[in-house]
Amino acid sequence: MKVLAAVKRVLDYSVRPRIRSDGSGVDLANAKMSMNPFDEIAVEEALRLREAGVASEVVVVSCGTTACQDTLRTALAMGADRAILVQTDVELQPLSVAKLLKAISEREQPQLVLVGKQAIDDDAGQTGQMLASLLGWPQATNASKVAPGDGEATVTTEIDSGLRIVGIRLPAVITCDLRLNTPRYTTLPNIMKAKKKPLETVTPEALGVDPAPRLISLKAAEPAARRGGTMVPDVKTLVDKLRNEAKVL
């Protein structure tokens, strides 16, 4: 079974985002970038399936600028077999990425596509669902456990009332949640080996996809500063402040 894992290059989770002075978006100049944490979980799950003898090959794919090669090399250092970069300087939105991944999936013919449930930069949480719809494949979202079988997979999802277990037929798309696994660290020897692993570069035009954005960002702004908290002596005072000052009652 071939597994395709999609990864995205995002602002590192430890970095505090800065808004550009003109309000046009987040300033990424000289900022530390890394693999989207949820996508890292997807890669780790693909590698574990291969180590368990379920998967025979793990292919990682990313869409974006040339700098995304660094993210793919990280995935290769984790243990992926080969990588594909869909290179474009166009600002990619979830639908465009889903179309590009659809084209790659049709070419590679994987039995399972693993993606993070969301990216920490836009928090859209749409790409996996759009990809499944475009392919006409079953999907399972927010997976906290994946148990593949003969031509199918059992996926456990955490919901408000507990756990929900669903069965899907392969090929399928699964989006990965935080509790699915803990990604491994990349070692120096594996980082050196990753430099020799194949990394193919294609363009959206070669895949027959127009990645032009359909949404326009009007403005980006810092969230409003939070007011300081105050201590109240009793419940009566608390209710009075909620009603008359906060006006939430």
Side-chain angles (χ1 to χ4, degrees):
M1 179 173 76
K2 180 189 293 186
V3 179
L4 183 71
V7 299
K8 184 179 183 182
R9 182 175 181 263
V10 299
L11 183 69
D12 190 85
Y13 70 91
S14 63
V15 177
R16 185 178 184 274
R18 302 187 309 273
I19 303 299
R20 297 192 190 104
S21 58
D22 60 358
S24 60
V26 177
D27 184 7
L28 300 179
N30 302 316
K32 180 182 178 182
M33 307 293 287
S34 62
M35 186 189 305
N36 178 48
F38 292 102
D39 296 340
E40 194 174 7
I41 292 171
V43 174
E44 174 65 28
E45 190 64 21
L47 297 175
R48 294 188 182 191
L49 292 176
R50 190 190 61 192
E51 291 167 353
V54 176
S56 57
E57 184 182 24
V58 175
V59 182
V60 290
V61 58
S62 186
C63 306
T65 64
T66 307
C68 293
Q69 290 186 10
D70 295 338
T71 305
L72 290 172
R73 290 295 180 191
T74 299
L76 291 172
M78 291 175 66
D81 298 297
R82 56 189 176 92
I84 302 171
L85 170 62
V86 183
Q87 185 174 328
T88 177
D89 293 327
V90 175
E91 178 189 354
L92 294 175
Q93 296 175 350
L95 181 57
S96 298
V97 175
K99 290 181 178 180
L100 293 171
L101 293 179
K102 173 181 180 287
I104 293 293
S105 298
E106 291 176 340
R107 193 187 74 169
E108 293 292 328
Q109 292 295 305
Q111 284 69 54
L112 181 62
V113 177
L114 296 174
V115 299
K117 72 169 186 175
Q118 66 192 81
I120 62 172
D121 52 359
D122 58 17
D123 275 337
Q126 299 173 341
T127 302
Q129 291 88 326
M130 288 179 172
L131 174 60
S133 179
L134 291 172
L135 288 170
W137 289 3
Q139 63 173 302
T141 59
N142 302 347
S144 59
K145 183 179 180 181
V146 177
D150 185 15
E152 60 183 12
T154 302
V155 180
T156 302
T157 301
E158 294 183 358
I159 58 177
D160 291 342
S161 57
L163 299 177
R164 179 177 60 193
I165 302 175
V166 298
I168 55 175
R169 294 187 180 277
L170 302 180
V173 177
I174 297 178
T175 68
C176 303
D177 202 354
L178 186 65
R179 299 186 189 277
L180 182 57
N181 60 53
T182 301
R184 67 194 68 188
Y185 290 104
T186 54
T187 62
L188 181 57
N190 287 337
I191 293 174
M192 301 304 294
K193 291 178 183 177
K195 295 181 179 180
K196 299 181 180 180
K197 291 184 178 181
L199 194 161
E200 178 188 1
T201 300
V202 297
T203 63
E205 292 74 22
L207 297 173
V209 176
D210 179 11
R214 298 189 176 189
L215 303 176
I216 299 175
S217 298
L218 300 179
K219 184 180 180 181
E222 295 277 0
R226 295 182 61 181
R227 297 174 57 187
T230 58
M231 298 290 292
V232 294
D234 50 44
V235 174
K236 182 179 179 180
T237 306
L238 173 62
V239 172
D240 179 69
K241 286 183 174 292
L242 290 174
R243 178 178 292 116
N244 300 314
E245 293 184 17
K247 299 188 184 300
V248 295
L249 294 180

